[in-house]
C-alpha cells in the first residue's frame, strides 16, 4: 500500500515549520526560535511530496530521533526544543564532506493524521543580477539560498509514528539512492523495512502476475518466458529501478496499461519508489521442464526453448502428440 492515501497527499498542510543552520564550519549549529513559513507553504509541501518516492525504513528500538519526534507528538509545545535537539544531533554526526545548509523540521497535517518531515537542504550559491539606470547589469552572489534543485534537497524523510513498529519512514538520500548513507542512518536510528532478498523475490513474483494479467495483450515470446525474462533482468542489473526494470522485461510491448498494472502491484506490495540492490540468490533459475513417455523417451528443455516444443492431446486415438522443431538435431 502507498505510504499515504491520495486524499492525504492532496490535503497535506504544514502545521509547524522551523529550520536550523547546520554544518557551517562551527562547533555548534545556529539555532533559531522561529522561522515563519509565510508565502512559501506550497514550495515546501512540494519538497515533502518529493520524498514519497523513496525507500521504506523503520526506527530501531530506543531510537533517539524517534524519541524526540514522539515528544512533539505528545505535546506540540515541545516542537521548537525538539527541533533544536534534532539539529544538534545532525550537526554532531557530520563530517567534512557534508555541505553547509539547514535542517528543516515540519509537522504535517494529512487529512487529520499527523506526519513529520525532516529535510536537510544544502545551501547553493546562486547568482542574481539587477539592472542599473545606465542599463548595466550588476551580478551578485547569494550563498544562503534554498533552491528547487533536486541536488539541494540532499536528504529527506517523512515519518508516521505508530505503537507497533515505533515509526514508519520513507527516506530519500541523494548520495545513496538505492539505500541510505551511514551518516543519515546513524542520525535517524533506522533500519531497512524490507531486506533485499525479500524485495527481489517479490519483484519477480509481481512481474509474473503482471504478464499473466495481460496474456491477451502480450506476445507468446514474453508470456511463455516471463519467469526467465524476470530472472535474466534481475541478474543483469545491480539494483532495482522500476522504470529501467519494466522496460528491460517488457520492451516495446510494455504499454501504458501494462505499466499501470505493474506499478499498482508495486504499490500493493509497498515497493513503489523503492530502489535497492538485487539479491540474485533470492530467485531460482527457472528449471528445465522434464517429461518421460511410457515408451521410455525422455524430453528435457528450458523455458527459452518453450516455443520449439508443442504438446497436444489426441483425444481420438487417446494419445499425446509431441512436436519438436529444431534447427539441428545432435546425437549425444
Amino acid at each position: 500500500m502507498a505510504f499515504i492515501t491520495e486524499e492525504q497527499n492532496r490535503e497535506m498542510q504544514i502545521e509547524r515549520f522551523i529550520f536550523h543552520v547546520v554544518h557551517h564550519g562551527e562547533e555548534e549549529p545556529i539555532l533559531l526560535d522561529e522561522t515563519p513559513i509565510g508565502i512559501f507553504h506550497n514550495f515546501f509541501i512540494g519538497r515533502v511530496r518529493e520524498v514519497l518516492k523513496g525507500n521504506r525504513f523503520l526506527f530501531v528500538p530506543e531510537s533517539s530521533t524517534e524519541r524526540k519526534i514522539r515528544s512533539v507528538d505528545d505535546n506540540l509545545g515541545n516542537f521548537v526544543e525538539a527541533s533544536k535537539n534534532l539539529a544538534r544531533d545532525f550537526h554532531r554526526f557530520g563530517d567534512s564532506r557534508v555541505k553547509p545548509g539547514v535542517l528543516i523540521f515540519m509537522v504535517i497535517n494529512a487529512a487529520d493524521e499527523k506526519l513529520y518531515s525532516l529535510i536537510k537542504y544544502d545551501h547553493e550559491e546562486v547568482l542574481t543580477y539587477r539592472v542599473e539606470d545606465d542599463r548595466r547589469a550588476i551580478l551578485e552572489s547569494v550563498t544562503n539560498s534554498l533552491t528547487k534543485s533536486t541536488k539541494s534537497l540532499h536528504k529527506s524523510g517523512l515519518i508516521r509514528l505508530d505503537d507497533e513498529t515505533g515509526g514508519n519512514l520513507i527516506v530519500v538520500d541523494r548520495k545513496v539512492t538505492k539505500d541510505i548513507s551511514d551518516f543519515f542512518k546513524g542520525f535517524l536510528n533506522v533500519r531497512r523495512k524490507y531486506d533485499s532478498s525479500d524485495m527481489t523475490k517479490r519483484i519477480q513474483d509481481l512481474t509474473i502476475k503482471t504478464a499473466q494479467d495481460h496474456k491477451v495483450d502480450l506476445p507468446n515470446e514474453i508470456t511463455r518466458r516471463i519467469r526467465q525474462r524476470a530472472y535474466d533482468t534481475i541478474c543483469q542489473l545491480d539494483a532495482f529501478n522500476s522504470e529501467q526494470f519494466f522496460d528491460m522485461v517488457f520492451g516495446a510491448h510494455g504499454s501504458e496499461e501494462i505499466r499501470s498494472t505493474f506499478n499498482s502491484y508495486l504499490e500493493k506490495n509497498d515497493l513503489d519508489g523503492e530502489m535497492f540492490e538485487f539479491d540474485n540468490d533470492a530467485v531460482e533459475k527457472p528449471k528445465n521442464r522434464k517429461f518421460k513417455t511410457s515408451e521410455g523417451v525422455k524430453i528435457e528443455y528450458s523455458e527459452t526453448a518453450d516455443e520449439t516444443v508443442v504438446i497436444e492431446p489426441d483425444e481420438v486415438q487417446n494419445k499425446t502428440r509431441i512436436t519438436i522443431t529444431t534447427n539441428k538435431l545432435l546425437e549425444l
Side-chain angles (χ1 to χ4, degrees):
M1 59 179 292
F3 190 81
I4 62 174
T5 66
E6 291 185 9
E7 179 187 8
Q8 287 178 315
N9 191 354
R10 187 172 58 251
E11 296 186 6
M12 274 198 299
Q13 296 291 318
I14 299 172
E15 191 171 319
R16 296 295 299 272
F17 175 94
I18 198 169
F19 66 74
H20 306 285
V21 184
V22 292
H23 301 300
H24 54 298
E26 301 297 331
E27 290 188 5
E28 293 294 325
I30 299 175
L31 302 176
L32 306 174
D33 293 325
E34 186 180 8
T35 51
I37 196 170
I39 63 173
F40 301 105
H41 177 275
N42 289 342
F43 172 84
F44 286 104
I45 281 291
R47 307 292 74 75
V48 172
R49 288 192 172 114
E50 290 174 16
V51 186
L52 292 173
K53 290 296 183 181
N55 297 320
R56 273 68 166 176
F57 288 82
L58 298 173
F59 283 122
V60 300
E62 307 301 323
S63 165
S64 60
T65 297
E66 178 201 345
R67 186 172 64 252
K68 293 176 178 66
I69 294 174
R70 196 168 286 280
S71 72
V72 180
D73 200 61
D74 295 336
N75 183 353
L76 198 57
N78 295 326
F79 173 75
V80 174
E81 188 57 34
S83 72
K84 291 181 179 180
N85 288 331
L86 288 167
R88 291 187 184 100
D89 288 347
F90 191 89
H91 192 80
R92 186 168 62 249
F93 267 99
D95 58 38
S96 59
R97 294 171 295 179
V98 181
K99 290 184 178 181
V102 299
L103 182 69
I104 301 170
F105 183 42
M106 288 179 270
V107 179
I108 310 292
N109 189 313
D112 295 327
E113 181 181 7
K114 285 286 192 299
L115 303 174
Y116 299 88
S117 177
L118 282 165
I119 296 177
K120 162 62 190 322
Y121 230 119
D122 287 349
H123 285 158
E124 294 288 341
E125 185 173 5
V126 176
L127 294 181
T128 64
Y129 69 91
R130 68 178 189 275
V131 179
E132 300 290 282
D133 292 339
D134 58 0
R135 303 187 67 80
R136 287 187 307 149
I138 306 299
L139 291 172
E140 297 176 332
S141 174
V142 179
T143 55
N144 294 347
S145 64
L146 305 180
T147 73
K148 289 186 178 181
S149 169
T150 56
K151 293 181 179 179
S152 299
L153 191 68
H154 200 252
K155 303 179 187 298
S156 49
L158 189 60
I159 301 146
R160 171 188 284 114
L161 297 176
D162 65 60
D163 295 330
E164 182 178 349
T165 65
N168 279 272
L169 302 88
I170 187 164
V171 176
V172 171
D173 190 331
R174 300 295 179 192
K175 189 174 181 62
V176 188
T177 55
K178 57 188 176 185
D179 198 348
I180 184 175
S181 64
D182 291 339
F183 160 60
F184 203 35
K185 184 181 292 184
F187 164 67
L188 292 173
N189 304 139
V190 295
R191 63 175 175 83
R192 199 75 184 245
K193 186 174 183 179
Y194 308 112
D195 63 35
S196 59
S197 176
D198 178 43
M199 289 189 285
T200 301
K201 183 65 173 66
R202 283 197 280 167
I203 289 298
Q204 185 187 43
D205 291 343
L206 66 86
T207 302
I208 294 169
K209 288 181 180 179
T210 299
Q212 291 172 342
D213 288 352
H214 291 276
K215 58 185 177 182
V216 175
D217 309 313
L218 290 166
N220 285 340
E221 65 186 74
I222 290 181
T223 55
R224 293 168 69 96
R225 299 186 60 247
I226 190 60
R227 184 177 295 276
Q228 183 73 49
R229 290 176 73 95
Y231 175 84
D232 290 343
T233 304
I234 287 169
C235 291
Q236 290 172 31
L237 296 174
D238 292 329
F240 175 70
N241 174 291
S242 61
E243 296 293 323
Q244 181 186 30
F245 181 85
F246 179 88
D247 289 341
M248 288 183 66
V249 172
F250 293 99
H253 301 285
S255 66
E256 287 306 310
E257 184 180 1
I258 297 173
R259 188 185 298 273
S260 177
T261 299
F262 180 75
N263 289 339
S264 70
Y265 276 126
L266 287 176
E267 185 174 313
K268 290 175 183 176
N269 283 267
D270 204 22
L271 293 175
D272 54 313
E274 287 277 4
M275 298 182 70
F276 59 92
E277 290 186 351
F278 278 125
D279 179 0
N280 294 351
D281 294 332
V283 288
E284 293 185 11
K285 183 176 181 179
K287 297 179 180 178
N288 288 353
R289 302 189 69 182
K290 299 180 180 181
F291 299 93
K292 181 179 179 181
T293 71
S294 59
E295 294 82 11
V297 178
K298 295 181 180 180
I299 302 171
E300 179 179 348
Y301 59 94
S302 68
E303 192 180 61
T304 56
D306 200 32
E307 291 186 348
T308 68
V309 181
V310 178
I311 301 175
E312 51 189 352
D314 186 335
E315 296 179 358
V316 176
Q317 299 185 34
N318 195 28
K319 294 183 178 182
T320 299
R321 180 180 294 106
I322 303 171
T323 304
I324 301 174
T325 304
T326 180
N327 293 321
K328 189 175 183 180
L329 182 65
L330 303 175
E331 185 175 355
L332 299 178

